[in-house]
Amino acid sequence: MNMRFICLFLLLPVVVLGQDPHFTQPLSAPLQLNPALAGSWTAGRITNSNRLQWNKLYGNYTSYNVNYDQYLHPLRGGLGINYLHDNAGQGTLLLNRFDLTYSGRIPMLKNDTGYARLIIQPALSFGYAVKTLNWDKLTFGDMIDPRRGFVFTSQETTGKSRVIYPDLSAGLVIYSERVLGGIAVHHLAEPNEGFAGNSPLPRKYVMHLSGILGSLSDSARHLNLFPSLVMMSQMDHRNYIFSVHAKYHKYSLGVGYRVGDALLFSAGFAHQLFKVSYSYDLTVSGLAGYTGGAHELSLVVRLFDEKWKHRLNLRRYNF
């Protein structure tokens, strides 16, 4: 297969439909996982995830995600703002997307003190995406000299260098103090993101489930386990992540497996107002030894500590 076809199949959405970037620590990028997670932590929070993938390969992928979400009592729901930046091929293909999310809160099964033992949150997210392609970084078959390599100027006709489109996603979560589960559908309208023709962005379907095994009353003195399962499907691409994290006092360690792709290892430190964690993906597929795996660093900042939440008469729901 010559370089022209390799380039077209890998880089042009008119030929191969796009896929979203993903994170090894999905709950550290909550609105990227499921918009219904907006406001699920009663006080405000800022989350940030940075991912470097396949650093041994030229043209590796880097992804950056930051979001802010807050439960607002007058609206009886949560608001969230999410920003995603994805850089594929060292500036060859760039994505910048902003999302504004609203989630409603439906309390269920209230106890004697008036607190709900179960929360249902549906949500809608409205996005604005800008995708750019640097045609100068692409190589085609007619640029190749059999002896000297890429020396000629390509005669290929190029398309647009920028595509702008609106986006729409929806989600639902159900959670209690010990269990959180949810579903989400991203890119509901399958917007056109093609640079040289029509190319709809496929819908992405997400299901996730996580929980707490251990003490809730005095977790600082007990070892708690946090198992989780995330399943994502987008066109022909499937992504299944099984993981479990162990937390004792302020420290946590985790292991996981992305089916058919990588073993996942993570470590974290949690303070009253923030949590920082690092994860590494060890590739175990046929690319093992060639990619360098993936590194991910995440930060979660809580805007109110427990004392302030008590003064504001707010309740935190654990999951």
Side-chain angles (χ1 to χ4, degrees), residues 9-32:
F9 273 98
L10 291 181
L11 294 176
L12 295 186
V14 68
V15 176
V16 59
L17 298 178
Q19 293 174 352
D20 288 353
H22 63 265
F23 293 90
T24 295
Q25 306 173 68
L27 288 178
S28 294
L31 302 190
Q32 179 69 13

Side-chain angles (χ1 to χ4, degrees), residues 132-239:
T132 59
L133 175 63
N134 187 344
W135 291 89
D136 294 335
K137 291 194 173 186
L138 304 185
T139 54
F140 299 90
D142 60 355
M143 300 169 63
I144 303 175
D145 180 88
R147 293 185 178 181
R148 295 179 295 167
F150 292 91
V151 296
F152 302 123
T153 300
S154 176
Q155 301 303 311
E156 292 286 343
T157 301
T158 60
K160 296 181 291 185
S161 60
R162 175 176 294 183
V163 178
I164 300 174
Y165 55 88
D167 205 357
L168 178 66
S169 301
L172 175 74
V173 295
I174 302 175
Y175 59 95
S176 65
E177 285 191 322
R178 286 192 177 271
V179 179
L180 165 72
I183 58 175
V185 183
H186 300 263
H187 321 305
L188 281 168
E190 297 192 327
N192 177 31
E193 61 167 7
F195 292 98
N198 184 55
S199 179
L201 177 60
R203 292 188 186 96
K204 181 176 71 173
Y205 301 91
V206 177
M207 295 182 63
H208 57 93
L209 180 66
S210 56
I212 300 176
L213 301 177
S215 172
L216 294 176
S217 59
D218 190 6
S219 58
R221 298 184 180 182
H222 295 85
L223 177 66
N224 284 354
L225 298 179
F226 298 82
S228 69
L229 167 65
V230 177
M231 299 181 289
M232 292 180 279
S233 174
Q234 190 171 18
M235 192 105 180
D236 296 328
H237 180 70
R238 305 288 184 270
N239 197 341

Side-chain angles (χ1 to χ4, degrees), residues 20 23 36 50 75 83 92 96 150 157 189 228 245-246 252 277 284 290:
D20 288 353
F23 293 90
N50 299 271
L75 297 179
Y83 169 67
T92 304
N96 291 282
F150 292 91
T157 301
S228 69
H245 290 77
S252 64
S277 57
V284 294
Y290 299 97

Side-chain angles (χ1 to χ4, degrees), residues 102-142:
Y102 171 76
S103 67
R105 175 174 287 188
I106 305 172
M108 306 288 289
L109 305 177
K110 291 187 178 181
N111 58 26
D112 296 337
T113 62
Y115 290 126
R117 290 175 290 179
L118 188 70
I119 298 292
I120 300 175
Q121 285 192 187
L124 277 177
S125 180
F126 302 90
Y128 176 84
V130 179
K131 204 165 189 177
T132 59
L133 175 63
N134 187 344
W135 291 89
D136 294 335
K137 291 194 173 186
L138 304 185
T139 54
F140 299 90
D142 60 355

